[in-house]
């Protein structure tokens, strides 16, 4: 903590989850070592990027992989890949889209904060349906020779206005239009790495700085090899819109090592650890009183990852947001989630020791 302290910046205890604005996730020592090692030698970046991508593709079972400096960069670069298909003249022309398909089809209820990244390519959205309803016929009617890709936000799949990926895929396949899925925060389960591709998506984008526990500025685009190669053509060190989304040798080394660790991890043991932390926090806080306490899984769509047991706390004397803001003023600060009138504790980024501190802090404020 010396470095942060030298700047007068406090560290915090994260009972919220893999959230970018409070640091994403923490890297294993092996990942830090790989980055430190990579930092001590010169290397041809394009070759490293290609070979590291091949290695991750092999590990995950995807046909191709393009490493990016985050999932948001992956979205921008995927759009550029679908529009240019890797044609170097077109890569250098973007975001001027003259002569290229430049429409991104999206279900209206799949518009999310992160989708702005796709527009950096110069493309624009064509929304299909309404917030509460979309029909396959509307999707079909929206397709034209200007359609560059279909964007699908994994976290929106369960919404009322959504359609299953399986209904979108055949409509796009028969016209040769790629389907790009934003699954940035859909890990765990590990199976998400391959599920969206198995269900017919052409490209799927993940954040390296969330459950993959790689460098915070890293991400993966997995999928069809021709398209991931087109991604790389738009990526640093090549000149294109991806030039300002530099992925460096250190981050490439870090995400490679992180994916190796992720694939080898015993997730059954990890889930048991998460479950016992949540149960212990819930039991402690219930014993100390001042709130209704339960454990459970998030029921509202869009909260990721959904399969980690949380603690839900309804305070008796204060509003949930008042408790949360008092927790953020403690030293160390404690970050928790809020859902309606409940506080939410997510053990995803906690150690057992921190979980005890969180339970004490919450009870203290209650
Ligand atoms: C976190 C997130 C992103 C951005 O990921 P970065 O790796 O931080 O760029 C994009 N889309 C969704 C749905 C996310 O949750």
């Amino acid at each position: 903590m010396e470095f942060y302290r030298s700047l007068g910046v406090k560290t915090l205890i994260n009972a919220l989850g893999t959230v970018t604005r409070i640091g994403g996730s923490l890297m294993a020592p092996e990942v830090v070592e790989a980055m430190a090692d990579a930092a001590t030698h010169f290397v041809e970046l394009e070759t490293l990027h290609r070979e590291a991508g091949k290695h991750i593709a092999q590990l995950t079972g995807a046909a191709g992989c393009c490493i990016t400096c985050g999932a948001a960069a992956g979205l921008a670069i995927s759009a550029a890949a679908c529009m240019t298909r890797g044609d170097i003249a077109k890569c250098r022309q973007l975001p001027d889209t003259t002569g290229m398909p430049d429409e991104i089809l999206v279900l209206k209820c799949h518009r999310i904060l992160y989708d702005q990244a796709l527009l950096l390519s110069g493309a624009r959205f064509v929304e299909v349906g309404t917030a509460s309803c979309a029909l396959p016929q509307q999707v079909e009617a929206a397709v034209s020779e200007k359609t560059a890709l279909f964007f699908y936000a994994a976290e929106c799949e369960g919404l009322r206005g959504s359609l299953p990926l399986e209904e979108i895929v055949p409509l796009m396949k028969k016209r040769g239009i790629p389907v790009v899925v934003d699954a940035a925060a859909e890990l765990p389960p590990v199976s998400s790495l391959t599920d969206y591709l198995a269900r017919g998506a052409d490209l799927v984008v993940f954040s390296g700085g969330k459950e993959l526990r790689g460098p915070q500025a890293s991400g993966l685009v997995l999928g069809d090899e021709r398209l991931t190669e087109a991604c790389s053509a738009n990526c640093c060190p090549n000149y294109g819109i991806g030039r300002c989304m530099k992925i460096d040798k250190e981050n490439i080394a870090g995400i490679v090592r992180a994916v190796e660790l992720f694939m080898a991890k015993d997730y059954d043991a990890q889930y048991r650890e998460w479950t016992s932390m949540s149960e212990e926090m819930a039991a402690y806080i219930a014993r100390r009183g001042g709130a209704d306490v339960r454990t459970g899984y998030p029921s509202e769509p869009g909260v990721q990852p959904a399969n980690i047991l949380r603690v839900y706390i309804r305070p008796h004397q204060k509003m949930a947001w008042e408790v949360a803001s008092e927790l953020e003023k403690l030293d160390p600060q404690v970050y928790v989630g809020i859902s309606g009138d409940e506080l939410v504790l997510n053990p995803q980024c906690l150690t057992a020791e921190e979980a005890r501190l969180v339970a004490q802090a919450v009870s203290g404020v209650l």
Side-chain angles (χ1 to χ4, degrees):
M1 280 187 270
E2 278 313 305
F3 168 70
Y4 294 122
R5 212 173 280 142
S6 74
L7 295 176
V9 176
K10 282 190 237 165
T11 56
L12 57 90
I13 297 179
N14 177 4
L16 178 55
T18 55
V19 174
T20 295
R21 119 189 105 75
I22 56 168
S25 55
L26 301 183
M27 295 185 285
E30 294 94 321
V31 176
V32 179
E33 270 164 38
M35 294 176 75
D37 189 21
T40 60
H41 296 278
F42 289 100
V43 69
E44 204 181 73
L45 201 65
E46 195 174 3
T47 307
L48 173 67
H49 185 253
R50 183 180 59 242
E51 294 306 316
K54 275 191 205 160
H55 181 59
I56 290 179
Q58 214 159 34
L59 282 170
T60 58
C65 167
C66 174
I67 299 171
T68 64
C69 63
L75 294 176
I77 286 165
S78 295
C82 295
M83 293 160 76
T84 61
R85 303 295 175 124
D87 178 313
I88 186 166
K90 289 180 176 166
C91 294
R92 292 199 179 177
Q93 184 188 310
L94 288 183
D96 171 357
T97 65
T98 309
M100 286 177 247
D102 65 352
E103 290 183 357
I104 301 172
L105 293 189
V106 61
L107 301 178
K108 192 173 182 73
C109 76
H110 282 232
R111 290 302 310 274
I112 57 171
L113 273 174
Y114 295 102
D115 67 26
Q116 189 176 14
L118 293 153
L119 303 180
L120 293 179
S121 63
R124 59 192 186 87
F125 282 115
V126 173
E127 292 181 2
V128 180
T130 65
S132 59
C133 177
L135 304 171
Q137 293 89 325
Q138 292 175 303
V139 173
E140 207 153 19
V143 177
S144 76
E145 73 285 352
K146 285 181 153 178
T147 310
L149 67 124
F150 194 100
F151 172 64
Y152 197 88
E155 65 182 29
C156 300
E157 177 151 33
L159 298 179
R160 197 151 64 97
S162 184
L163 287 168
L165 187 57
E166 284 77 2
E167 289 194 32
I168 305 290
V169 163
L171 298 178
M172 297 303 125
K173 280 261 185 290
K174 71 179 179 200
R175 315 245 193 160
I177 297 166
V179 175
V180 176
V181 175
D182 179 358
E186 303 296 316
L187 303 170
V190 180
S191 58
S192 290
L193 277 178
T194 46
D195 275 357
Y196 295 101
L197 297 173
R199 293 170 64 197
D202 296 279
L203 291 176
V204 58
V205 177
F206 293 98
S207 178
K210 294 180 178 170
E211 181 60 21
L212 282 173
R213 300 181 192 238
Q216 193 174 5
S218 69
L220 302 176
V221 183
L222 301 178
D224 178 88
E225 203 175 357
R226 284 219 302 262
L227 285 172
T228 57
E229 278 170 12
C231 285
S232 298
N234 282 283
C235 245
C236 185
N238 297 313
Y239 297 93
I241 64 151
R243 180 61 185 82
C244 61
M245 304 168 202
K246 188 191 282 179
I247 177 79
D248 56 50
K249 57 192 185 304
E250 296 81 9
N251 278 16
I252 291 174
I255 188 63
V256 164
R257 196 73 192 98
V259 172
E260 287 172 352
L261 295 176
F262 178 80
M263 298 307 293
K265 185 165 172 170
D266 178 354
Y267 261 94
D268 289 339
Q270 176 67 84
Y271 277 111
R272 281 196 298 275
E273 211 179 313
W274 281 331
T275 300
S276 84
M277 279 194 265
S278 280
E279 284 170 349
E280 280 169 29
M281 288 191 289
Y284 181 94
I285 296 163
R287 223 165 33 238
R288 293 273 305 266
D292 298 327
V293 185
R294 64 183 176 95
T295 57
Y297 297 93
S299 52
E300 65 272 45
V303 179
Q304 299 306 336
N307 47 7
I308 297 173
L309 190 72
R310 318 292 213 264
V311 186
Y312 292 87
I313 303 154
R314 193 188 311 271
H316 290 160
Q317 309 285 345
K318 299 177 184 182
M319 306 295 279
W321 64 264
E322 288 175 311
V323 176
S325 70
E326 282 185 55
L327 288 166
E328 287 178 23
K329 292 194 187 92
L330 298 178
D331 189 12
Q333 300 168 274
V334 175
Y335 273 71
V336 302
I338 294 179
S339 172
D341 55 359
E342 292 178 303
L343 298 165
V344 188
L345 307 181
N346 176 1
Q348 188 178 7
C349 296
L350 294 175
T351 63
E353 173 59 24
E354 287 173 331
R356 280 186 284 276
L357 291 174
V358 169
Q360 287 164 10
V362 170
S363 287
V365 171
L366 285 173

